Amino acid sequence: MTSPHSTPERIRLKLQSEIESGTLRAGEVIDEKAMAAKYGVSRTPIREALLMLAAQKLVVTVPRAGSMVYKPSAIELIALLEYLGELEGVAARLAALRMTAEQRSHLMQIHQSSESLAQLGERHRYEEANRALHEHIYHCSGNLVINEEIVHAQRRLSNFRRHVFNQPGRLRASFAEHTALVNALVAGDGDMAASAMREHIIGKGKAFADLVLVNA
């Protein structure tokens, strides 16, 4: 296992952050020499970091061309979103069955606090509330394996989902979807919670279309 304090691991985390934030865009060639100069290291730890990122499917190495940020096809994007929807659906089902009264109350508080943000179009603050709500559900599922898989799937999609909330009306639509999800969770209805979560993530194909069109 790579030490969290090793130079390649530190560089991997920095590059991973740049990929997730979109600083390094899908399909962009990663200049090893420039990265080595940027981080003040030799090219060896850069290459080691890129190998680790390739194992995460965030980077791809092309013979005689070097490394570039992985850019999945439209079919792969759809498959990843379907996978994420199913994973989050399982997490929601488990959370509905396992949440304590205190956890259900906290979920309602998170959801209610985001209503005005959706109405006012406060995208960045709504994104924070959205993240808090989903992470609370993951925690309440009590399943670390599913949570890890969700994080991995989200990481592979992060470069492509950054602009989802820029779509007209998406904040209000997201809040409405959260309402159905939260109601099911608070009621302890696992099947309904799973269905509402999958609907929220996948959106009857609209999310697919938005994702593909934005990243075409």
Side-chain angles (χ1 to χ4, degrees):
M1 179 180 291
T2 304
S3 167
H5 304 295
S6 71
T7 299
E9 175 63 6
R10 286 189 288 105
I11 293 172
R12 181 192 71 79
L13 290 172
K14 290 178 180 179
L15 290 175
Q16 177 180 290
S17 177
E18 290 190 28
I19 291 171
E20 291 177 355
S21 68
T23 302
L24 286 173
R25 300 184 63 81
E28 182 175 343
V29 174
I30 299 175
D31 187 327
E32 292 182 7
K33 184 177 181 180
M35 287 295 170
K38 178 178 180 178
Y39 295 118
V41 298
S42 69
R43 294 173 71 169
T44 298
I46 298 294
R47 287 169 180 163
E48 291 179 15
L50 290 173
L51 286 173
M52 289 188 280
L53 290 170
Q56 294 177 260
K57 299 186 184 301
L58 295 178
V59 164
V60 62
T61 300
V62 180
R64 295 184 295 279
S67 299
M68 64 180 64
V69 180
Y70 184 58
K71 185 174 184 178
S73 66
I75 292 175
E76 288 174 290
L77 282 175
I78 290 171
L80 278 169
L81 199 58
E82 286 179 333
Y83 179 54
L84 179 61
E86 292 301 322
L87 287 172
E88 295 216 31
V90 173
R93 183 193 304 277
L94 293 175
L97 301 176
R98 296 174 175 175
M99 293 176 85
T100 65
E102 182 179 356
Q103 288 172 330
R104 295 180 204 278
S105 176
H106 183 55
L107 178 70
M108 286 294 297
Q109 291 174 7
I110 296 173
H111 178 55
Q112 290 168 356
S113 70
S114 70
E115 182 173 13
S116 62
L117 303 178
Q119 296 296 328
L120 295 172
E122 294 276 357
R123 197 198 82 180
H124 294 297
R125 292 178 62 198
Y126 184 84
E127 284 180 343
E128 293 175 0
N130 176 73
R131 187 179 305 110
L133 185 141
H134 281 262
E135 289 180 351
H136 183 60
I137 294 170
Y138 308 153
H139 172 72
C140 292
S141 76
N143 191 306
L144 294 177
V145 175
I146 291 175
N147 290 350
E148 288 176 356
E149 291 300 313
I150 288 173
V151 169
H152 292 158
Q154 288 177 334
R155 187 166 288 148
R156 292 176 66 186
L157 280 164
S158 60
N159 211 324
F160 304 91
R161 300 181 78 204
R162 291 177 297 108
H163 303 299
V164 168
F165 284 128
N166 289 342
Q167 302 297 315
R170 184 57 201 153
L171 294 188
R172 294 189 182 191
S174 173
F175 178 80
E177 292 161 8
H178 279 175
T179 298
L181 171 61
V182 169
N183 287 343
L185 287 162
V186 170
D189 189 330
D191 289 342
M192 186 62 72
S195 177
M197 180 65 94
R198 286 194 301 270
E199 172 70 13
H200 175 52
I201 299 298
I202 298 173
K204 287 184 177 176
K206 185 179 187 305
F208 293 168
D210 287 346
L211 197 60
V212 172
L213 287 172
V214 168
N215 294 285

